Every structure is written in structure tokens, then in C-alpha cells.
């Protein structure tokens, strides 16, 4: 058999290109909505039917196109978005001029457009690669792009699509991400018969962005979001980040944008992880929406066909700015714990407020006796107590004093009682605060130790026999590059030829530890994220364990002044809203919530 | 099976064997002790699959037989019985219970069949020799503090016992290290140890052995093979598997050229280190040793806690030196020394330091400095 090299026909070329840009219906939606945004639309209406396979329609009120533009728009590599042909200066979402012809080659594409002030609209149709002449159309100012029978020209692709439901999810995900980046544009998404999303245009001067984020990421996020704002050397990061006590088991609620373009970038994700660090339990992810803005010359978006990854000219600077801004906000949030704690408590109480099915058979009217029927968390169920000693363990002495009014003005208020020798109940002007004394004190001790660690330097213990760890060439090089940083943390290592490193000194704090495991973890992390967390993680874990032993345990009786001192220290210490295991250290019940419990509201 | 035994005898034997029994185990029979009666004695055996302890006690056996019962429970029962009690132990074959009767007390324990009880001790050990209890104790006591607890370097989790050459004589040498410090003690080679393979005796076995010889003064018969070691101490036999690994070439880390010699009264040194390290509350805090002329200044500086210094007179003629050590490591080593004087052989603040006992030249210690 002889094979001759031949030039492929334009249609085949287009279909091959389409395979890269148009992967699934959601990619069509992405391209069309991006075009609408680039056209300066204020309202965008998206309709999909059958997961986008039978119809995708995007209607906008942007500036529209004239005849010449419309004609060119469906040609390959034709775009209005690269005015100076400068790929280093990309200011719009699209720029390749590939989307529309690609869509036209795999389905039925109709673009109708009407410029502002023009009398008539025009329409161009591309049916599976064949372009039909432009004809007049009736529509308001703006553009309407319809795609029907997507992938009818590439049946193979059609076969590999997922269920209609998951295509719908993908579409909605795409629209959400774009909508977060463009709160000034109104979005409406209709999937089949259902209205999926309705996001009104937000006012950017007020809390428009937060409102928009709240509609997409949930009310919880709105309540616990911290504004982020940082700028250095022409790079700006803004947006909102959730409190560390608000977390999820997957990173699906981490939204990152570079110049309003949604990205899933390793560097940025790593920076987020570094910033939250020990505030979040392992395997949990914070919620946030962050926008990085920088000069288009500083970032290369032309890396990934779907533009999900970007490259920064100065990655280190972006990273440190991001970490700095997040840390600053989290630190200033100080002791704030998620509002969800209070909400959850109220919900639980409401759920239990119906009388128990079987009433206690010997109901006694005195409040003390009634209290002894309450389930007592840690008491041994089998052991009957002496009735006379079986009183609630509340230390009520604090409550008997008159509360100093100035104490009430503190965020965590005035300590009023200690219950079960574990929980401090405090009162502010508008709420009741319940503090877990052990968790709270543990965090305070931990923060103190970490400060000590960073002030005093890390003492290093020399190794009699250097530990030789085989890590692989790339890993060894990565570790060597970071050798200075690691030495500051007490780990001294050097190259040992052929993909191995020799560890000569270890942080004394770690004692007799698994050196090989630590070094391998570090190497993998440095290669992945450009930075190793494992060492700091372990040092902090040791501190955290020591903090746990050195702190006030549950079960210790505290005097009112001790309790108040603890509350004041919590207010003054950053990150005291969660314990070392990421659980909240206190719960605040608003008076309004309590009133609701009793049906007063 | 039926026998009568004196309480004190049984308690002592149970005390020896039950300590190898793990409190929590996934194999039920490992919680049990095997009792085997016959020939005028009761034989007790317990194991954790890595090591086993067997002890024979004289008893009046009226019907031979074997059974296993929960070890810790039996131990607790016997301990609580009055001193001098005669205990009758009887197995009721129908009910599968073991009844224990003493005076007015009567217990019936659940049993498991003796045939399932694991046996690791089978087989002859090629090399055997005898050591005095005091000698064996010295080998253990002076080295065990340096055994590593870190499990990825499992070959450091024990004492390396082997035959070594020292000049023209041959010695039996014990070495332990955790990578930060090293301890080495030796004895002149006992008869029968020649050709013995170097073996790593696991930490738990070392501690069991030490417990067994603590009160004893009789010679201990030791049998060694490449995979097992056996100690016979009077009526008790401890057999253990060995750590299957290669002990590192520790000779390389023992410094040869350290020429700065510091001589200090050991008691003064221990007292001073202990006092100044009070300030260091955290684990791993360094003590700094500043040596100039005949003066050693020990100091600890803890930015959060304060500082402490103490000066002691020493013998030192080399150039001044400042070096840091982990306070706990210093105390661990210094407390092994028997003589009045401790000899430090130093090189520089980044190299290993050798410490020798003024009263015992068969022991040496190596310690890596700390950098602050």
C-alpha cells in the first residue's frame, strides 16, 4: 500500500481544530458567552436544550457586528480581538479566532447581529462547514448565536459525551465561573424547560460582587467571607475568602481568576494551600473566589486550548502576593469562627424542641431534679449517682456577680459560667458565646509556640550517619535548589550524586523521626507546588501536640477571672477561632436566633 | 489436668512470662498463657510471635495435661490471692473451663485449646556461650538508651551484639545508635562465641531480658543463630527472633582524630547540665558548652523562658571551643559513666564528639553536636 502525503481539505482541518476547542457543549457555551462579554454585553441570556446537543442559544445586548464583520467572523483565524497582532498583549477573553468556525464545522451555526443604531439585523449561517450567504434578520441591538445539532458532523464525539445531566452541570459550571468574574453583567441560564440561574446585574460600587458570589457559592459563604485586597508592583489580588472554619472535602468551591479569566492553576492553588496552612484540617479545602489582575504582558494565557492554565512571568511574586493578602485577611479576622456553628446549634435545638416521645416517668417539678435528667455527655450511664450530689456541674459563681458593662462590649463578651468544667458561657450585648476551653487554650499555646519557633530559629541536631535518601534526579535537584530555605527550618542536606541527597542535620524538635519519608514528601511537594510544606507541617504538628499537652484541659474548673482572661487572649490572638484540628473553638448564638427558638420572632 | 501449686512460685513465674503478652491483640490466643502440667512441674509459656518466655515451676501434678487461659487475668487473680496460699488448678474437660481454687475463692476461666498455641522456639541454635548476669546487664544498661525508636530505620531498633577485634584481643561488643548518638560496650570474648554471627536484638527483647536478669546473679546461657537468640536464666528461657537487617558500619562514625581533650568531674557535670537545662522547657533545646582554659561554661538560652549559665572547673589545654549539645542526650550518656571523671574528646562544633568513662575503658559514647 502506498500512502501519499496530501493537503487536508479545509473542512477536515476545521474539524480537527474543533476537537481541541470544542470538547463538549459546555465549551461552546464558554466560547459564546466569552464573545458576548468581549462585545460589552450588559445582559446575557443562555438557553440549552437536551444538554446543549439540540440547541444552544446565547443572546446578548452587546455592540453587534456589521456585514463585513459578520462575514469574516465565521472564517478561520479571524478575530477582532488582536488589534496589533500582539500575542503578548491579550486584553480580551478570546483571541485565537478559532471558536466560531470550529463550532460551524461540527454543527449548525447561525449568527444574527444588529449594531446599535443600525436599522436591520443580519444573519449568517454555517451548516456543518458550508457557509451560506448573509441575509437580513429581525432582532434588537446585540447578537444572537444559535448552535443546533452540535457534533452531528462528528458522530464519534457524540458517542463519547456524558449523560444530559452531567452536560447540563458542566454548562452551569461554566456560566457560574464567568458570572463570578463579571458581576456587572446580568446572566440568565435556561436548561431545557427549567430556569437554571438568574443572576441580576450587580452594582459594583456596593457589595455587588459579594452578592453575586453569595448567589453562586451559597449564603454560608457570604456570612463567612473575608474581603481580600492586596497590590504590589502592578499585580492586584482581590475577592473574598472564607473563614478557615468553613471548609469542604473537595476544592470545587475554590474559584480563581486571572484577568477575569477562570483558571485552575497549580501555582495559585498551592498558594491558597500555603496561606491557609495549619488553619484547615488535612484533606479539607477552604471556599474562596480570588481575582488576580496584572498587566497582560506579565502573563501568558496561550498555554492551554481551553485557557484553564496560565503562565506568569514572575510566578514567585504572584504567589507571595496571594499568600500575603490571604494571610493578612485571615489574621485580621483573628478569632472569628464560622457563623455556621451558631446556625447549626440553633437548627439542632429546633429539631429537638418537640417533647420526647416517652415522657420521663417520674417528672419532678424542681428545676434541679429536672436538670439531672438531662443526658450528661461523659457520665457513666450504668452508674447511678447519689441524688444529693447529682447537681449540674455549672460553676454559677460567675453569674452571681454583676457584669461589668465594659466587658460586654468585647467581641466575646463577659464570662458568665462554666458548664461541665469544659464550656465557658459568655454574654455579649447581642449574643451568647459558648467556648470550648480546651480547644481554645490549645490554639493559644500553639500560636505562642509557633511564634517562638519563628523568633528563636530552629535548633538542628547533627546526624552521626548522614541519611542517604534516594529520591530521583529531578527531586534531588529541586531539593538542592531549596536547600537554603530548608536549612532555615533545620533540615541540612546536600546532593549525593545520582538522584540521592544526604541529610546531615535535622530539626532537633522532631527527635528520632522518619527522615526518608519526610525528604520524599518534601521533594514531591516542591516539584508539584514549587514549595514544600511537609517540613513545616511536621514542626507545627509537634508544636501542636505539645500545645495539646500544655494547655488547660477539659474538666478543669476555671475562676471567672481566668475565664475572662482566656476570652481576652482569644480576641487578641490571630487564628484563635479554630483549634489545631480545624474545629471551631467557640459558637456564637445571636439573641435573635435564641428568640426564634422560643417563637418570639 | 489437675495440680496444686504454691501461690508465690506461680506468681513469680507469671510475672516473668506475662510481660511479653500484648494487652491488645488481633489473635485471641496471643492473649493467653499456655500451662502444661507433667513430671512434677508446671510449665508456663507466653509469646507475642516475636519472642517467647517459658518458665518451669515445681508443682504437685495429679493429672498431666495442657490448656491456655487469658494471661493477664490469671496473673491478676494469683496476685490478689493471699500470700502462702495453696492453689489448685483443674481443667474440667466437659465445660472447657479451668477452675482455680484457693481457700474459699474459686474462679472458672475460659480456655482455648493448647494445640493452636504458636511455637517459635523450635530448632537448635548453632552458637552458645555463657555470660555472667552482671556482664550481660552491663552490656544492656550502657547501650539501650541509644536504641532508635524510629521504625523506618528498623535495623537501628535494637542492640547490635557481635564479636569484634580490639587490637590483638577479640571482644564481644554491644552497640546501639539512633543516628544522633552511639553507645558501645565490650567484654572479652566468652568461650564459644567465636564464629557467632552479628545479631540485632530487638528493643522489646532487650527490655524483657533486662527485667529477667535484674534480680539474678547466675550465669546466663546464650544461644545464637542467624535468625534467633535464646537466653536461659535459671528456670526461665527467653527466645526471640532477631531484627532481619544490616547494622550500619558504625566504626566510621567513631572519631579517631579528636585531639581536644576535656576532663571533668562527672557528678559536677551532670548537676550543672541538669540545672541549666531547667530553663529549656521544650524538647530538643541545646546546652552550649564554652570551653576556655580550665573553665567550662554551660549555658542555655530560651528566648521565651530566660537563660541560665553555670561554670565548672575542668582540665583542658587545647584552643577555646564553643559547641552545643542536646541536654537530654548529654545526661543520658553522663549517667552511664561509672568513674568520677568524664573524658570528652572534641574536634569542632560540627563534628562528632567522643565521650569516655574515666573508670571504664571498655565503654565509649559518640554524640553529634547540635547547632543553634
Amino acid at each position: 500500500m502506498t500512502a501519499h502525503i496530501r493537503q487536508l481539505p479545509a473542512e477536515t482541518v476545521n474539524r480537527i481544530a474543533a476537537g481541541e476547542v470544542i470538547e463538549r457543549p459546555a465549551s461552546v457555551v464558554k466560547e459564546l458567552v466569552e464573545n458576548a462579554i468581549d462585545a460589552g454585553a450588559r445582559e446575557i441570556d443562555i438557553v440549552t436544550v437536551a444538554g446543549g446537543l439540540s440547541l444552544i442559544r446565547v443572546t446578548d445586548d452587546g455592540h453587534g457586528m456589521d456585514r463585513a464583520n459578520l462575514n469574516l467572523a465565521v472564517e478561520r483565524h479571524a478575530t477582532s480581538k488582536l488589534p496589533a497582532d500582539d500575542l503578548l498583549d491579550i486584553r480580551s477573553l478570546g483571541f485565537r479566532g478559532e471558536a466560531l468556525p470550529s463550532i460551524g464545522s461540527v454543527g449548525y451555526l447561525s449568527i444574527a447581529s444588529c449594531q446599535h443604531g443600525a436599522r436591520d439585523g443580519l444573519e449568517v449561517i454555517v451548516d456543518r462547514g458550508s457557509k451560506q450567504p448573509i441575509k437580513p434578520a429581525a432582532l434588537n441591538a446585540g447578537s444572537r448565536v444559535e448552535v443546533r445539532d452540535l457534533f452531528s458532523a462528528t458522530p464519534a464525539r457524540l458517542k463519547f459525551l456524558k449523560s444530559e445531566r452531567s452536560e447540563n452541570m458542566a454548562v452551569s459550571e461554566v456560566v457560574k465561573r464567568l458570572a463570578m468574574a463579571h458581576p456587572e453583567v446580568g446572566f440568565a441560564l435556561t436548561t431545557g424547560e427549567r430556569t437554571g440561574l438568574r443572576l441580576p446585574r450587580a452594582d459594583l460600587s456596593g457589595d455587588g460582587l459579594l452578592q453575586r458570589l453569595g448567589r453562586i457559592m451559597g449564603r454560608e459563604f457570604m456570612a463567612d467571607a473575608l474581603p481580600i485586597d492586596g497590590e504590589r508592583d502592578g499585580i492586584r489580588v482581590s475577592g473574598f475568602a472564607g473563614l478557615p472554619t468553613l471548609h469542604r472535602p473537595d476544592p470545587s468551591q475554590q474559584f480563581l481568576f486571572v484577568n477575569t479569566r477562570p483558571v485552575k492553576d497549580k501555582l495559585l492553588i498551592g498558594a491558597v494551600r500555603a496561606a491557609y496552612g495549619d488553619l484547615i484540617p488535612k484533606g479539607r479545602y477552604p471556599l474562596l473566589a480570588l481575582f488576580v489582575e496584572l498587566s497582560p504582558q506579565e502573563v501568558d494565557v496561550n498555554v492551554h486550548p481551553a485557557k484553564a492554565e496560565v503562565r506568569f512571568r514572575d510566578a514567585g511574586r504572584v504567589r507571595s502576593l496571594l499568600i500575603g493578602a490571604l494571610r493578612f485577611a485571615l489574621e485580621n479576622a483573628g478569632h472569628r469562627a464560622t457563623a455556621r456553628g451558631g446556625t447549626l446549634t440553633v437548627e439542632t435545638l429546633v429539631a429537638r424542641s418537640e417533647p420526647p416521645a416517652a415522657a420521663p416517668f417520674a417528672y419532678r417539678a424542681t428545676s434541679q431534679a429536672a436538670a439531672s435528667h438531662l443526658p450528661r455527655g461523659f457520665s457513666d450511664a450504668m452508674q447511678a449517682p447519689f441524688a444529693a450530689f447529682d447537681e449540674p456541674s455549672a460553676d454559677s459563681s460567675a453569674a452571681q456577680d454583676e457584669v461589668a458593662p465594659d466587658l460586654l462590649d468585647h467581641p466575646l463578651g463577659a464570662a458568665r459560667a462554666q458548664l461541665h468544667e469544659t464550656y465557658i458561657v459568655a454574654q455579649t450585648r447581642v449574643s451568647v458565646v459558648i467556648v470550648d476551653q480546651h480547644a481554645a487554650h490549645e490554639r493559644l499555646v500553639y500560636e505562642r509556640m509557633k511564634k517562638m519557633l519563628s523568633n528563636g530559629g530552629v535548633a538542628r541536631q547533627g546526624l552521626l550517619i548522614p541519611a542517604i535518601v534516594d529520591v530521583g534526579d529531578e527531586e534531588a535537584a529541586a531539593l538542592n535548589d531549596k536547600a537554603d530555605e530548608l536549612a532555615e527550618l533545620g533540615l541540612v542536606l546536600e546532593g549525593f550524586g545520582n538522584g540521592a541527597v544526604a541529610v546531615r542535620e535535622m530539626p532537633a524538635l522532631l527527635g528520632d523521626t522518619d527522615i526518608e519519608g519526610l525528604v520524599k514528601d518534601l521533594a514531591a511537594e516542591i516539584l508539584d507546588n514549587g514549595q514544600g510544606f511537609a517540613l513545616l507541617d511536621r514542626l507545627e504538628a509537634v508544636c501542636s501536640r505539645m500545645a495539646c499537652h500544655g494547655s488547660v484541659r477539659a474538666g478543669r474548673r476555671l475562676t471567672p477571672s481566668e475565664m475572662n482572661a482566656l476570652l481576652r487572649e482569644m480576641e487578641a490572638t490571630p487564628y484563635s477561632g479554630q483549634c489545631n484540628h480545624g474545629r471551631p473553638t467557640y459558637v456564637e448564638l445571636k439573641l435573635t436566633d435564641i428568640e426564634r427558638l422560643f417563637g418570639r420572632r | 489436668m489437675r495440680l496444686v501449686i504454691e501461690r508465690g512460685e506461680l506468681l513469680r513465674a507469671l510475672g516473668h512470662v506475662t510481660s511479653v503478652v500484648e494487652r491488645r491483640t488481633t489473635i485471641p490466643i496471643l492473649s493467653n498463657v499456655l500451662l502444661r502440667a507433667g513430671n512434677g512441674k508446671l510449665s508456663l509459656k507466653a509469646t507475642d510471635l516475636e519472642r517467647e518466655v517459658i518458665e518451669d515451676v515445681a508443682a504437685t501434678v495429679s493429672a498431666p495435661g495442657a490448656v491456655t487461659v487469658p494471661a493477664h487475668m490469671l496473673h491478676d487473680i494469683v496476685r490478689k490471692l493471699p500470700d502462702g496460699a495453696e492453689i489448685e488448678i483443674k481443667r474440667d474437660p466437659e465445660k472447657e473451663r479451668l477452675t482455680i481454687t484457693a481457700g474459699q475463692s474459686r474462679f472458672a476461666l475460659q480456655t482455648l485449646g493448647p494445640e493452636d498455641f504458636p511455637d517459635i522456639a523450635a530448632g537448635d541454635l548453632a552458637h552458645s556461650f555463657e555470660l555472667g548476669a552482671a556482664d550481660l546487664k552491663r552490656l544492656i544498661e550502657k547501650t539501650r538508651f541509644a536504641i532508635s525508636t524510629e521504625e523506618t530505620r528498623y535495623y537501628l531498633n535494637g542492640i547490635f551484639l557481635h564479636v569484634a577485634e580490639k587490637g590483638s584481643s577479640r571482644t564481644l561488643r554491644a552497640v546501639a545508635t539512633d543516628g544522633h548518638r552511639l553507645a558501645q560496650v565490650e567484654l572479652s570474648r566468652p568461650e564459644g562465641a567465636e564464629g557467632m554471627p552479628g545479631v540485632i536484638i530487638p528493643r522489646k527483647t532487650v527490655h524483657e531480658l533486662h527485667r529477667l536478669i535484674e534480680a539474678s546473679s547466675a550465669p546466663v546461657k546464650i544461644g545464637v543463630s542467624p535468625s534467633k537468640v535464646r537466653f536461659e536464666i535459671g528456670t526461665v528461657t527467653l527466645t526471640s527472633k532477631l531484627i532481619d537487617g544490616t547494622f550500619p558500619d558504625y566504626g566510621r562514625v567513631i572519631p579517631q582524630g579528636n585531639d581536644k581533650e576535656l576532663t571533668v568531674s562527672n557528678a559536677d557535670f551532670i548537676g550543672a547540665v541538669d540545672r541549666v537545662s531547667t530553663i529549656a522547657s521544650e524538647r530538643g533545646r541545646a546546652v552550649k558548652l564554652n570551653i576556655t582554659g580550665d573553665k567550662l561554661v554551660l549555658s542555655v538560652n530560651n528566648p521565651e523562658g530566660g537563660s541560665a549559665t553555670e561554670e565548672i572547673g575542668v582540665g583542658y589545654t587545647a584552643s577555646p571551643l564553643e559547641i552545643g549539645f542536646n541536654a537530654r542526650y548529654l545526661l543520658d550518656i553522663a549517667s552511664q559513666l561509672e568513674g568520677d571523671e568524664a573524658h570528652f574528646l572534641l574536634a569542632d562544633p560540627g563534628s562528632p564528639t567522643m565521650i569516655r568513662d574515666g573508670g571504664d575503658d571498655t565503654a565509649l559514647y559518640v554524640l553529634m553536636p547540635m547547632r543553634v
Side-chain angles (χ1 to χ4, degrees), chain A residues 118-129:
Chain A
R119 274 192 314 143
D120 303 308
L122 296 165
E123 184 179 13
V124 65
I125 290 173
V126 184
D127 189 359
R128 274 157 279 219

Side-chain angles (χ1 to χ4, degrees), chain A residues 452 460-462 464 505 512, chain B residues 148-150 179 304 368-369 371:
Chain A
M452 226 151 71
R460 313 196 298 260
Q461 169 68 50
L464 271 173
E505 293 175 20
D512 197 2
Chain B
S148 171
T149 51
E150 203 280 303
E304 309 295 313
M368 249 343 244
R371 286 177 196 267

Side-chain angles (χ1 to χ4, degrees), chain B residues 305-364:
Chain B
S307 64
T309 57
E310 181 160 340
E311 190 182 308
I312 39 182
V314 295
Y316 185 73
T317 49
S319 52
L321 180 69
E322 189 178 85
I323 187 167
F325 291 107
N326 183 321
R328 191 168 57 84
Y329 292 171
L330 277 181
L331 289 176
D332 278 349
I333 290 175
S335 55
Q336 305 306 326
L337 306 184
E338 286 162 13
D340 295 337
E341 281 185 341
H343 297 280
F344 285 77
L345 292 163
L346 303 136
D348 61 69
S351 307
T353 293
M354 177 143 78
I355 300 146
R356 304 209 69 139
D357 192 340
D360 174 9
D361 62 352
T362 62
L364 75 84

Side-chain angles (χ1 to χ4, degrees), chain A residues 263-499:
Chain A
V263 294
K264 287 187 171 159
D265 190 78
K266 266 191 192 165
L267 172 91
L268 299 179
I269 292 169
V272 167
R273 195 190 146 200
Y276 276 85
D278 57 348
L279 300 175
I280 280 214
K282 273 223 152 42
R284 307 286 299 184
Y285 299 86
L287 279 67
L288 46 79
L290 292 180
F291 303 87
V292 179
E293 283 160 65
L294 69 177
S295 153
Q297 279 100 342
E298 292 293 316
V299 59
D300 186 0
V301 292
N302 196 9
V303 189
H304 188 274
K307 298 165 193 154
E309 278 172 31
V310 293
R311 283 216 185 108
F312 295 104
R313 181 167 290 181
D314 188 349
R317 213 162 54 185
V318 176
R319 185 188 149 79
S320 70
L321 172 67
L322 199 63
I323 295 179
L326 276 172
R327 278 263 154 187
F328 180 75
L330 293 172
E331 215 159 300
N332 283 346
H335 58 83
R336 257 180 81 189
T338 173
R340 199 166 53 160
T343 321
L344 278 179
T345 316
V346 171
E347 276 164 10
T348 323
L349 289 176
V350 169
R352 297 224 178 121
S353 64
E354 295 104 47
F361 26 89
Y363 178 75
R364 277 171 289 171
T366 63
S367 66
Q368 251 176 32
S372 72
H373 283 280
L374 289 173
R376 285 152 33 100
F378 304 107
S379 66
D380 185 352
M382 302 293 282
Q383 171 68 56
F386 282 127
F389 298 156
D390 186 31
E391 286 170 20
S393 66
D395 176 0
S396 51
S397 58
Q400 283 164 7
D401 302 328
E402 197 62 33
V403 183
D406 56 318
L407 281 182
L408 291 178
D409 292 328
H410 287 291
L412 294 178
R416 300 289 282 157
Q418 188 189 19
L419 300 178
H420 293 287
E421 282 103 30
T422 304
Y423 301 102
I424 298 170
V425 179
Q427 172 185 355
T428 70
R429 294 213 182 270
V430 292
S431 63
V432 174
V433 176
I434 305 173
V435 178
D436 178 339
Q437 68 185 42
H438 175 57
H441 193 241
E442 191 178 307
R443 187 75 198 191
L444 297 180
V445 175
Y446 174 54
E447 288 297 328
R448 213 153 41 205
M449 285 193 161
K450 271 202 318 192
K451 221 164 91 195
M452 226 151 71
L453 205 63
S454 58
N455 288 348
V458 182
R460 313 196 298 260
Q461 169 68 50
L463 297 181
L464 271 173
I465 311 158
I468 311 296
V469 186
D470 276 312
V471 284
D473 288 334
E474 271 179 67
E475 285 87 348
L479 284 168
N480 270 325
D481 284 349
K482 296 271 170 187
D484 290 348
E485 268 173 58
L486 294 174
E488 258 170 54
L489 288 171
L491 180 72
V492 178
L493 50 77
E494 58 196 51
F496 199 72
N498 276 345

Side-chain angles (χ1 to χ4, degrees), chain B residues 177-192:
Chain B
T177 179
D178 63 1
H180 298 169
R181 59 251 169 95
L182 176 142
Q184 173 192 316
V185 186
E186 54 200 347
L187 308 166
S188 55
R189 190 191 64 194
E191 202 58 45

Side-chain angles (χ1 to χ4, degrees), chain A residues 14-174:
Chain A
N14 281 348
R15 277 176 203 163
I16 291 170
E20 280 177 36
V21 185
I22 308 299
E23 199 189 343
R24 58 198 294 191
S27 352
V28 175
V29 173
K30 174 174 172 290
E31 297 296 340
L32 299 184
V33 174
E34 282 183 354
N35 281 348
I37 292 169
D38 282 343
R42 290 150 57 84
E43 295 286 348
I44 300 176
D45 186 58
I46 305 133
V47 177
T48 68
V49 175
L53 288 179
S54 42
L55 172 70
I56 296 169
R57 182 170 57 221
V58 176
T59 315
D60 68 60
D61 58 352
H63 52 59
M65 286 178 277
D66 61 15
R67 177 176 289 267
N69 273 323
L70 198 56
N71 204 11
L72 259 180
V74 293
E75 292 297 329
R76 220 165 131 65
H77 303 305
T79 182
S80 60
K81 297 173 185 177
L82 273 181
D85 287 343
D86 186 359
L87 272 176
L88 300 178
D89 189 13
I90 294 167
R91 294 177 186 277
S92 51
L93 292 173
F95 56 85
R96 292 205 189 102
E98 272 179 333
L100 291 177
S102 295
I103 298 169
S105 68
V106 294
Y108 168 95
L109 170 72
S110 131
I111 307 173
S113 190
C114 175
Q115 279 193 303
H116 279 277
R119 274 192 314 143
D120 303 308
L122 296 165
E123 184 179 13
V124 65
I125 290 173
V126 184
D127 189 359
R128 274 157 279 219
S130 70
K131 185 170 143 193
Q132 290 163 22
I134 291 180
K135 58 184 186 189
L139 77 163
N140 293 331
S143 304
R144 183 187 67 220
V145 185
E146 274 186 16
V147 180
R148 290 176 187 275
D149 304 329
L150 187 63
F151 298 134
S152 54
T154 50
R157 180 56 62 97
L158 206 52
K159 264 191 220 152
F160 284 96
L161 286 181
K162 299 202 176 115
S163 69
E164 181 179 330
R165 205 176 103 77
S166 64
E167 293 303 332
N168 280 338
M169 296 251 296
V171 167
S172 142
E173 204 56 35
V174 160

